[in-house]
Amino acid sequence: MSPRSASVNEELRRRSRERLLQAAVEMVGEHGYEATTLGDIADRAGSARGLVSYYFPGKRQLVQSAVHRLMHRTLEEALEREPCTEDGRERMARAVDAILGLARDRPVLMRQHMAGLLQAEGFVQCPEQRRLAELLRDTVVRHGSADVDTDYPMLRSLLMGAVYAMVLPNVPMPITTLRAELFERYRLDWEMGVPPDTGEASGGTRETDLSRFFATGDAPDAERGRPGQSK
């Protein structure tokens, strides 16, 4: 059998990393951060345990990258869903609803994410975090900001504060109260986005199948062990 090409090896590494990200989100969401080990995540992903350290320095970095992936893919899906729109106010409403929806539907996962951000290292600088930042910054631009360098970190801080308020154990604030506050600040109509009292919102992100957020596509022939087989 001829050696795999560099491009095939790179694709295999990418898909292996994405399986680990998906497994991290699933395991932490199901069992909590402390009860989840790197070995558990590797087993769920179907990867060798030593492979985790090849991609991530530790569990906190892996979990934070995984949550950022879920956040940016959720946000991306919300912004681009049908009917597509270039209306800056509607896009801001969709962005707010996407992030608040994650806090409502995945409180265990988002609570751990917020706790991780309060560690000394803060944000993990990874492709997932950068893509999330790009989407939020673009949302601010399309909303009509005259000072993006000020307005983007303000939006990020307001969303983080709202998520924190929603996932506080025993005393969470309701999504409707926080949404109303954010919508008033950005001069959005309640009917924009996906109001939390609609059927679409109640379905939201509670689904258990997260594969579309971590899509890896069909495995290449080399990974399946069937060289040269056509798709």
Side-chain angles (χ1 to χ4, degrees):
M1 181 183 297
S2 60
R4 292 197 297 253
S5 67
S7 61
V8 169
N9 283 331
E10 179 62 29
E11 180 66 7
L12 291 174
R13 286 192 291 268
R14 183 186 69 81
R15 295 182 181 190
S16 179
R17 183 179 185 276
E18 293 196 347
R19 285 195 297 269
L20 288 169
L21 292 172
Q22 180 176 346
V25 163
E26 292 173 350
M27 295 297 294
V28 173
E30 293 169 14
H31 305 289
Y33 181 79
E34 296 300 333
T36 299
T37 68
L38 288 176
D40 294 331
I41 294 171
D43 289 345
R44 174 68 66 91
S47 300
R49 299 191 180 194
L51 192 60
V52 181
S53 59
Y54 176 81
Y55 297 109
F56 304 97
K59 184 169 74 168
R60 192 182 72 80
Q61 290 84 353
L62 167 55
V63 172
Q64 195 176 127
S65 292
V67 177
H68 277 139
R69 165 62 68 89
L70 179 61
M71 291 176 71
H72 94 62
R73 284 285 179 86
T74 299
L75 178 56
E76 187 173 57
E77 184 176 90
L79 292 173
E80 302 306 324
R81 69 175 172 81
E82 296 292 342
C84 293
T85 180
E86 296 300 318
D87 183 334
R89 294 175 70 236
E90 171 63 21
R91 291 179 70 85
M92 178 64 78
R94 292 183 183 189
V96 170
D97 285 339
I99 301 304
L100 295 189
L102 280 172
R104 175 197 60 205
D105 297 335
R106 303 191 185 280
V108 173
L109 190 65
M110 296 305 290
R111 186 180 302 127
Q112 171 51 46
H113 182 61
M114 297 303 298
L117 295 181
L118 295 176
Q119 301 297 314
E121 297 87 347
F123 282 111
V124 170
Q125 298 299 313
C126 60
E128 288 74 24
Q129 188 275 328
R130 288 192 292 272
R131 181 56 180 152
L132 176 62
E134 289 169 0
L135 289 171
L136 287 176
R137 190 178 182 90
D138 180 67
T139 298
V140 170
V141 170
R142 297 193 190 208
H143 188 253
S145 170
D147 185 0
V148 179
D149 290 336
T150 297
D151 293 338
Y152 157 65
M154 178 59 71
L155 173 62
R156 183 185 64 197
S157 297
L158 290 170
L159 289 173
M160 289 174 62
V163 169
Y164 181 81
M166 288 180 66
V167 301
L168 275 175
N170 303 320
V171 287
M173 288 189 68
I175 188 173
T176 50
T177 300
L178 294 163
R179 185 181 194 264
E181 187 72 20
L182 287 167
F183 270 43
E184 181 178 359
R185 177 182 180 86
Y186 290 103
R187 300 180 181 179
L188 308 175
D189 300 329
W190 186 260
E191 295 75 20
M192 290 179 165
V194 184
D197 54 350
T198 65
E200 184 177 353
S202 64
T205 55
R206 290 193 179 102
E207 61 198 274
T208 57
D209 183 5
L210 300 177
S211 58
R212 76 178 187 279
F213 297 110
F214 302 88
T216 58
D218 294 332
D221 295 330
E223 186 178 33
R224 289 195 301 260
R226 296 194 293 269
Q229 182 172 327
S230 60
K231 295 182 179 179

